[in-house]
Amino acid sequence: AQGAKVPVPSLRLTSAEQRFAQSLAEARKKLVKLESQQRKHTPSASPDIHHASAARASLPQARSTLNLQDKPGQAALARDVSQTAVELTEVVLPPHQNHMGTTFGGIVMHWAHKAAFICAARHAGGAASLRTALINRVDFKVGSQVSDHLVFQ
């Protein structure tokens, strides 16, 4: 059915680094959910500052309530991270350049989304039911120039 959630196998995390990255992702997800709930229920003259500080105060609580255990029967379906890993390289060409001489941010986001979608499709066993629900934040630390090779992992 359109819009229905499709069950996917869990990831088999084989290293401490992978488990740590997973716990950070879960904590960020909880934080976003807390911020969203607080925005709905708390009127404020300065909502961004108020809600962000309140949500940050709730982060230890969110971390303590994380449940990373597999549901019954999912362990057999788990996939190793190496089975879904993607490395996508894109070359910045003149049409990708903005008036400042750097790559359009939307182009870079498109490439990152493409790599993430391929990874998710490998994990889910197909792309037919996948949709992007949310991209919470993108920070561009440095610009890229024509002829640069950008690697997305």
Side-chain angles (χ1 to χ4, degrees):
Q2 187 130 358
K5 289 189 176 187
V6 177
V8 295
S10 61
L11 279 174
R12 186 177 303 124
L13 306 173
T14 56
S15 71
E17 182 180 358
Q18 292 170 351
R19 286 187 290 278
F20 180 69
Q22 173 71 16
S23 69
L24 287 178
E26 289 292 333
R28 280 192 301 271
K29 187 175 178 180
K30 290 267 189 183
L31 182 60
V32 168
K33 187 175 182 178
L34 285 170
E35 286 176 340
S36 174
Q37 289 171 349
Q38 289 173 349
R39 265 189 222 107
K40 289 179 187 175
H41 300 296
T42 309
S44 172
S46 176
D48 292 336
I49 294 170
H50 172 74
H51 295 306
S53 61
R56 268 189 235 101
S58 302
L59 185 57
Q61 175 190 359
R63 284 187 176 148
S64 68
T65 60
L66 291 178
N67 182 6
L68 301 178
Q69 302 300 316
D70 287 333
K71 293 181 179 82
Q74 277 190 329
L77 299 174
R79 290 194 172 95
D80 286 337
V81 173
S82 63
Q83 292 176 295
T84 62
V86 172
E87 183 170 294
L88 179 70
T89 303
E90 295 283 350
V91 178
V92 179
L93 301 173
H96 303 139
Q97 186 179 38
N98 63 26
H99 67 285
M100 301 286 290
T102 59
T103 311
F104 280 110
I107 297 286
V108 176
M109 289 175 61
H110 169 77
W111 292 334
H113 184 267
K114 185 168 37 170
F117 187 82
I118 293 168
C119 180
R122 287 179 181 175
H123 180 73
S129 62
L130 296 177
R131 304 293 181 272
T132 301
L134 171 73
I135 297 176
N136 190 34
R137 181 178 176 148
V138 177
D139 291 321
F140 297 102
K141 305 282 185 195
V142 295
S144 56
Q145 311 292 322
V146 170
S147 80
D148 284 351
H149 293 78
L150 305 183
V151 179
F152 300 88
Q153 298 178 322

